[in-house]
Amino acid sequence: MDQTPSSRRCGRSATVTNALGGLDPARIRGAVPARVTRRVDHERVKVLTSRTPPPRHAPPLTGRNNDWMDDGEDADLARLGWIVWTIEVRDPEQRAAPDIGARTEQAMTEMAGSLGCVFSHCVDDDSYDLTPEGTYYSWSVRVPRGEHLRRNEHGVPIAVAALWDYLRTKLPKGLDDWHVRPDRDLSLRDAAADVLREAYPDLLRPMEVAMLGLRRDGAQNLDPRAECWSGIGATMAGSYALWVATDPGATTPCWLVLHVGMVPPAGFWSSSAGQRMSRFSPDRSDPVLILPRPPAPLWMATIETGAFTTNAEARLTDPHTVGARHEWTSPDAEQLAHRVSRDLQALFPRLAAP
């Protein structure tokens, strides 16, 4: 299964194909990663599909495209502070035991950290063309620029090659259709999201401080996540999510997710950035983050529970469904953070428990 939680709440995700449009990699160079985990949409877009050769000790690979990465694309990635590399293996006969992602998560996290990298997530419940023959497992790792450039004789970063070696020991023999490559799309999206987040310290830092000690159920181990849903020229638009705890009102396991940003300015959804964002993040009732920053924004925070997070249609048609949506607005970010923290403890008393 995908080992990262959804910032779009339970049961709601968006494909972000080409969401960044013509975003210039030079504008987002040097952005820093989250420390623990990053949300990546399950339906990933393979914008950069180059394949790199295996280490010398690996068996010959079958059905493999060994084209080298385009020099221009590699130069674009090298401008970033961090680059996402994916280590993928195909399993058409489904020979691997279930939950390979969960079984390798801790070791991958520790090994990546010891190598100066950040393990992001694993996808182990997907397939190409939605067929058993298309089954694959993919691990994504955020690699700093220095390690990205430090390659072995096959063009694979030495740190990534070490992680690859470990994964090969955890899979059945005979799974040899490996694809190890940088993911240009995820790299640019992650860097753009970091830039978007860093443009709003006056809003986000007070909220994160106010939520210290309140987050539960492992949510406190997950870094808040910004998403850049639209990047066209100098304009960017996205969202910000902070996981609070598991949702006590949900009928299926789900997170309480606090969304923070601004009330969308008048005309935003009809603008190019707004229209593009609505394609990939269709909930227009949530707050947004925008660059360039508009003057005098009205800050906003929202959280949903119960049927609001799990089944939007059911809450409109089934009179027995239970759910709630809570919204806060204020022109003062400090005041907003205080009110959200206070009200969440009243709405969900276990958050206030020591």
Side-chain angles (χ1 to χ4, degrees):
M1 55 188 284
D2 188 338
Q3 297 298 311
T4 53
S6 170
S7 63
R8 298 304 306 161
R9 308 181 198 82
C10 185
R12 295 167 57 196
S13 62
T15 305
V16 293
T17 308
N18 296 325
L20 294 185
L23 189 64
D24 181 2
R27 292 183 56 237
I28 54 179
R29 73 182 69 179
V32 298
R35 295 183 300 278
V36 181
T37 186
R38 309 303 302 262
R39 166 63 180 154
V40 179
D41 290 274
H42 188 59
E43 298 176 6
R44 297 176 300 114
V45 183
K46 279 73 171 182
V47 173
L48 187 62
T49 57
S50 61
R51 304 290 189 265
T52 51
R56 284 180 295 185
H57 55 272
L61 303 190
T62 60
R64 189 181 175 88
N65 176 0
N66 287 323
D67 292 340
W68 286 93
M69 182 168 48
D70 178 80
D71 289 341
E73 292 177 326
D74 192 30
D76 279 348
L77 292 180
R79 296 173 183 164
L80 304 179
W82 295 76
I83 296 87
V84 177
W85 277 76
T86 59
I87 306 172
E88 179 183 307
V89 64
R90 311 287 170 84
D91 186 9
E93 298 177 358
Q94 297 181 303
R95 298 169 60 185
D99 298 324
I100 184 64
R103 289 186 286 111
T104 58
E105 180 179 12
Q106 181 174 352
M108 286 289 287
T109 299
E110 294 175 355
M111 287 184 62
S114 70
L115 295 166
C117 304
V118 178
F119 173 61
S120 175
H121 73 289
C122 174
V123 173
D124 65 359
D125 62 350
D126 202 358
S127 71
Y128 292 106
D129 302 322
L130 302 179
T131 63
E133 294 75 20
T135 297
Y136 71 92
Y137 318 115
S138 177
W139 293 260
S140 292
V141 182
R142 290 167 59 87
V143 179
R145 181 194 295 121
E147 290 299 325
H148 169 75
L149 297 175
R150 198 166 69 95
R151 310 288 181 92
N152 63 16
E153 65 270 31
H154 303 290
V156 179
I158 293 173
V160 175
L163 295 168
W164 185 7
D165 285 344
Y166 161 74
L167 291 173
R168 291 180 62 245
T169 68
K170 298 301 178 182
L171 289 164
K173 293 182 179 179
L175 291 186
D176 55 10
D177 188 6
W178 290 89
H179 303 263
V180 182
R181 59 193 182 272
D183 193 314
R184 188 175 191 271
D185 179 60
L186 293 184
S187 300
L188 292 176
R189 285 182 50 220
D190 274 5
D194 286 327
V195 170
L196 197 60
R197 176 178 173 175
E198 291 167 4
Y200 285 88
D202 52 331
L203 168 67
L204 302 180
R205 287 176 187 169
M207 187 64 71
E208 292 173 4
V209 170
M211 295 301 296
L212 288 175
L214 301 185
R215 301 166 71 194
R216 297 286 186 270
D217 309 323
Q220 65 272 26
N221 298 323
L222 302 174
D223 273 4
R225 173 64 173 155
E227 292 275 9
C228 182
W229 300 100
S230 174
I232 305 174
T235 303
M236 297 171 65
S239 59
Y240 171 91
L242 184 148
W243 291 271
V244 178
T246 55
D247 185 355
T251 56
T252 57
C254 196
W255 290 103
L256 287 171
V257 182
L258 182 67
H259 291 265
V260 185
M262 70 179 72
V263 175
F268 170 72
W269 292 112
S270 60
S271 68
S272 297
Q275 290 179 12
R276 196 174 188 87
M277 181 171 174
S278 67
R279 291 173 54 198
F280 308 114
S281 179
D283 191 343
R284 297 190 177 192
S285 60
D286 278 344
V288 300
L289 299 177
I290 302 171
L291 284 180
R293 284 181 51 151
L298 179 62
W299 303 126
M300 180 183 187
T302 66
I303 199 166
E304 297 177 352
T305 180
F308 273 74
T309 63
T310 57
N311 193 330
E313 292 184 2
R315 73 172 186 257
L316 297 176
T317 58
D318 185 349
H320 301 292
T321 57
V322 178
R325 175 182 172 88
H326 307 280
E327 295 184 4
W328 299 262
T329 58
S330 175
D332 186 302
E334 295 277 357
Q335 183 185 73
L336 178 71
H338 171 73
R339 289 172 53 199
V340 169
S341 173
R342 179 198 63 195
D343 292 352
L344 285 179
Q345 293 178 70
L347 290 167
F348 307 99
R350 70 189 187 94
L351 300 183

